[in-house]
Every structure is written in structure tokens, then in C-alpha cells.
Amino acid sequence: MAHTLLTEDLSFKENPLFEHLISDLLNQNYSICDNFFELKLVDSLRERLKMLHNHSELKKAAIGNKVNESISKAIRGDYIQWIDEQQANSAEHLFFEAFKTFKDYLNMTCFMGILHQEFHYAVYPVGTFYKRHLDTFQNDDRRKLSMVCYLNDDSWKKTNGGELVIYPENSNEVIIHPLPGRVVIFESQLLEHEVRPVLDDLRLSITGWFKTR
């Protein structure tokens, strides 16, 4: 057993990007990263989402979990489609693998006990938003980390709106623009957040969670 543990320790390689994300999460409960994915992969995911949207395959997002769902335009207005990892295309597979690598790194270095990951595409048309909320439910606290990857292209303007606003406790709000390839990771049960109204164009993203149990 001791030999096995020693071998595992010797094979471990520190990942500077992951260490930076972990440091941010420990210090401020959120992290913003603009180089998590190669832009070529972001382009492929964007095209996949646009195709789904153009074929009306996304559905109006609901409020609550599967036990208690309802649709309320007064709270959120996005359209989503869950990504089935078993039926993922090549770009989606690379996306899942990148976050799985990060998940395994977190479990190895921070002992977080994350067992599952889930993601969905999201489109916010003009005029839609998501009111301030927490990414956890009264009867389900499995979500530990929330993640957003923005799929807008270089033509996206900050004046288009759709900012993610995070509300850290005892600190000023953090305004995050949905720039191409930007990844935001934050503590699901600690940070309230909202998506401000989209003023122009379509806001494109993938949203997901690391979950325990």
C-alpha cells in the first residue's frame, strides 16, 4: 500500500492554471479565467449552440429542480438544452474532458468529494435576464461549484448587456462581461448572482455544476 501511495504522489503534476483557480476560490469564492479553453473549441461549441437554436431545439428554462419546476418570465428568460455526455460530439467531449480533469484535480488536492458534473447550453435573447439567486435548492444541496463558459464571438459588445453580477458577502458586486471563451467558476451555495438584461444580440453560454453524492 505504501508503495502504491508513493507512486501516485510521484505521478502528480501541479497545474498552474488549476492552482490559480483554486487560490481564487479559497480567497474570494469565485474565479474568472479567460484561457481555460482554446478559442477553436469555443468556436465549435458556439456553432453547435447556434444550430440548436436555429432549429428551435432549446426549451424555456424552468425555476427549481426536477421535483418542483415552474416557468416564470419574471425571474428568468433563457432557453436551454442539457448536454448528454454519452451523446456528445467531438467538441462537447473535449469540453467535458477539460472539466473532468479539473474535477479530478480538485478532488485530489482539496478533497471536495465531487462525483458528478452536468452542463447545459443557454441562450438569452434580447430583453431576457435571470434575477438574483443562489444555485442551490431547499431539498437538494449537491451543487458545490457553478461554472459558466461564454460562447459569444469577438463581435460581442459590452453595451449588449447580459452581464453576470456576483454578490460576494461583505464586498462590492462583481460585474462580469460575457466575453468569448471566458470561464467563471464560483461557490454555488455561497454567492448570489444574476444575469442582467440582454440589450442586443444573443447571449450564448454553457452553464454547469460540480455535484457531490
Side-chain angles (χ1 to χ4, degrees), residues 4-56:
T4 302
L5 291 174
L6 178 60
T7 301
E8 290 175 350
D9 290 341
L10 289 175
S11 66
F12 174 76
K13 292 184 179 180
E14 184 174 288
N15 184 308
L17 174 61
F18 292 170
E19 289 294 330
H20 176 73
L21 297 175
I22 291 169
S23 177
D24 281 349
L25 289 169
L26 289 173
N27 292 324
Q28 60 191 20
N29 300 318
Y30 71 91
S31 184
I32 304 168
C33 180
D34 288 331
N35 59 339
F36 194 93
F37 294 110
E38 293 184 0
L39 288 181
K40 182 178 179 180
L41 176 58
V42 175
D43 291 342
S44 296
L45 294 168
R46 180 191 309 116
E47 292 308 309
R48 171 64 173 163
L49 176 50
K50 283 185 173 181
M51 185 275 290
L52 293 171
H53 179 66
N54 290 337
H55 287 79
S56 301

Side-chain angles (χ1 to χ4, degrees), residues 17-167:
L17 174 61
F18 292 170
E19 289 294 330
H20 176 73
L21 297 175
I22 291 169
S23 177
D24 281 349
L25 289 169
L26 289 173
N27 292 324
Q28 60 191 20
N29 300 318
Y30 71 91
S31 184
I32 304 168
C33 180
D34 288 331
N35 59 339
F36 194 93
F37 294 110
E38 293 184 0
L39 288 181
K40 182 178 179 180
L41 176 58
V42 175
D43 291 342
S44 296
L45 294 168
R46 180 191 309 116
E47 292 308 309
R48 171 64 173 163
L49 176 50
K50 283 185 173 181
M51 185 275 290
L52 293 171
H53 179 66
N54 290 337
H55 287 79
S56 301
E57 295 189 33
L58 281 75
K59 299 188 181 300
K60 192 74 171 62
I63 306 300
N65 60 10
K66 293 181 180 178
V67 178
N68 181 26
E69 285 191 344
S70 63
I71 295 177
S72 176
K73 292 182 179 180
I75 297 176
R76 68 184 296 185
D78 54 324
Y79 291 80
I80 70 170
Q81 182 182 93
W82 291 96
I83 307 174
D84 186 340
E85 189 169 358
Q86 302 304 315
Q87 299 181 21
N89 65 19
S90 58
E92 292 164 345
H93 178 73
L94 291 173
F95 179 91
F96 274 107
E97 282 300 308
F99 271 116
K100 181 180 183 300
T101 301
F102 181 45
K103 171 175 68 68
D104 293 343
Y105 194 93
L106 282 170
N107 285 337
M108 182 179 295
T109 59
C110 302
F111 309 103
M112 292 190 65
I114 297 168
L115 299 178
H116 308 289
Q117 58 182 16
E118 60 182 14
F119 296 93
H120 65 65
Y121 288 112
V123 172
Y124 282 80
V126 172
T128 59
F129 52 85
Y130 197 156
K131 291 288 191 180
R132 183 169 172 171
H133 65 285
L134 276 176
D135 278 354
T136 190
F137 310 114
Q138 291 184 349
N139 60 345
D140 186 349
D141 63 353
R142 291 176 296 167
R143 290 177 174 177
K144 300 305 177 185
L145 290 179
S146 302
M147 293 152 287
V148 184
C149 174
Y150 296 110
L151 303 181
N152 302 99
D153 61 25
D154 290 333
S155 68
W156 181 266
K157 302 180 178 64
K158 291 184 178 180
T159 54
N160 290 350
E163 303 93 343
L164 173 68
V165 184
I166 292 176
Y167 296 93

